[in-house]
Amino acid sequence: MAPTLSIKPIDATFGAVVTGITVSALDEATWRELYAAWLHHALLIFPGQHLKRDEQIAFARRFGPLEFEMAALSNVKADGTLRLEKDNDDMMKVLKGNMGWHADSTYMPVQAKGAVFSAEIVPSIGGRTGWADMRAAYDALDADTRAKVEGLSAYHSLHYSQSKLGHDGRKADGEYSGYGFHDGPVPLRPLVKTHPETGRKSLLIGRHAHNIPGMDKAQSERFLEGLVEFACRPPRIYHHDWTPGDAVIWDNRCLLHQATPWDMTQPRVMWHSRIAGDPKSEAALAV
């Protein structure tokens, strides 16, 4: 008997584990069911897929055009040697920065729609990836805070978030491409986002957000950090323990995510394919 699609929610306000299918070989009916499940759960986890490069890119493309096809997030250099934590090069600073809660490409003119992420090599302990449900976080706000955030926006910048780790994107060391360190206008985005496909409201916050207009910098930072601390707690979070071959896709329009620390004397090789946002719904405010 052929395997059948199984979608089992995880123990959180979002997310589901999907089994019984091979994501590189989906018929149209199964694909439509999967897409609807993705909109509902926001995070889908596919154990044991072992996607090849072209398979991962093709799967990600089914969700829309790609912002970029595939990039390694890894402490393994191109020559196979391990990147040393004590050297603290640009790529290490990026890996460390990713450990803060964030949404992808909010610092770009168009925010990403989502991402496919897969595990090739995982450390024996640590190195989990976490996600947080900003729909449930918005729903959980008290009435006064909800009314307040509805009228606020924040600027989003990778220069801002990485500067907290001593990372100057204008002085590249050659290891990191500098993606996201553009010198154009800094995007301004509302703190409350309405999902373009489901209509659900969510918080748009995270480590790239700063300088809320109408607040001084210290007040803005305290307010934004307080929102993240409130939002990213159970039952609105899930951290995945990776097994090589696992793949996930998440909705970047309503989830935050983070990497978690691991013993960097052990290799960790993950592959990220980023799905481009629709400029009609994901563009920053005109300023």
Side-chain angles (χ1 to χ4, degrees), residues 4 19 43 63 95 98 135 157 164 166 235 262 268 271 278:
T4 55
T19 55
L43 169 71
F63 291 81
L95 293 174
N98 284 340
R135 306 167 304 178
S157 167
K164 293 186 169 242
W262 76 95
R268 182 178 187 262
W271 295 98
D278 181 348

Side-chain angles (χ1 to χ4, degrees), residues 13 47 59 66 97 116 147 164 167-168 186 191-192 263 267-268 275 281-282:
T13 58
F59 179 57
L66 301 187
V116 174
K164 293 186 169 242
H167 187 186
D168 186 348
V186 178
L191 293 194
V192 178
D263 177 356
R268 182 178 187 262
I275 304 157
S281 60
E282 307 311 310

Side-chain angles (χ1 to χ4, degrees), residues 115-244:
V116 174
F117 203 51
S118 66
E120 180 183 349
I121 300 170
V122 301
S124 62
I125 189 167
R128 298 189 301 166
T129 301
W131 291 269
D133 186 353
M134 294 299 101
R135 306 167 304 178
Y138 173 82
D139 292 345
L141 293 173
D142 64 71
D144 287 347
T145 305
R146 190 177 303 160
K148 182 175 182 177
V149 297
E150 286 279 3
L152 297 176
S153 300
Y155 290 98
H156 288 249
S157 167
L158 190 61
H159 286 290
Y160 166 80
S161 51
Q162 285 298 111
S163 70
K164 293 186 169 242
L165 291 90
H167 187 186
D168 186 348
R170 296 177 179 87
K171 297 177 182 176
D173 66 8
E175 283 285 336
Y176 178 60
S177 69
Y179 186 83
F181 283 118
H182 52 82
D183 289 324
V186 178
L188 180 66
R189 299 184 178 280
L191 293 194
V192 178
K193 178 174 182 57
T194 300
H195 196 288
E197 294 185 81
T198 68
R200 284 191 69 179
K201 289 185 174 183
S202 62
L203 291 176
L204 180 51
I205 51 178
R207 73 187 190 97
H208 305 309
H210 66 291
N211 286 10
I212 295 173
M215 293 186 186
D216 65 43
K217 288 186 178 182
Q219 181 187 19
S220 170
E221 191 159 301
R222 282 195 306 272
F223 184 71
L224 289 168
E225 286 176 354
L227 283 177
V228 170
E229 194 279 329
F230 169 81
C232 301
R233 61 173 69 164
R236 298 182 289 272
I237 58 172
Y238 166 76
H239 285 84
H240 187 65
D241 285 302
W242 293 97
T243 298

Side-chain angles (χ1 to χ4, degrees), residues 268-279:
R268 182 178 187 262
V269 181
M270 312 292 292
W271 295 98
H272 179 105
S273 300
R274 190 169 298 179
I275 304 157
D278 181 348

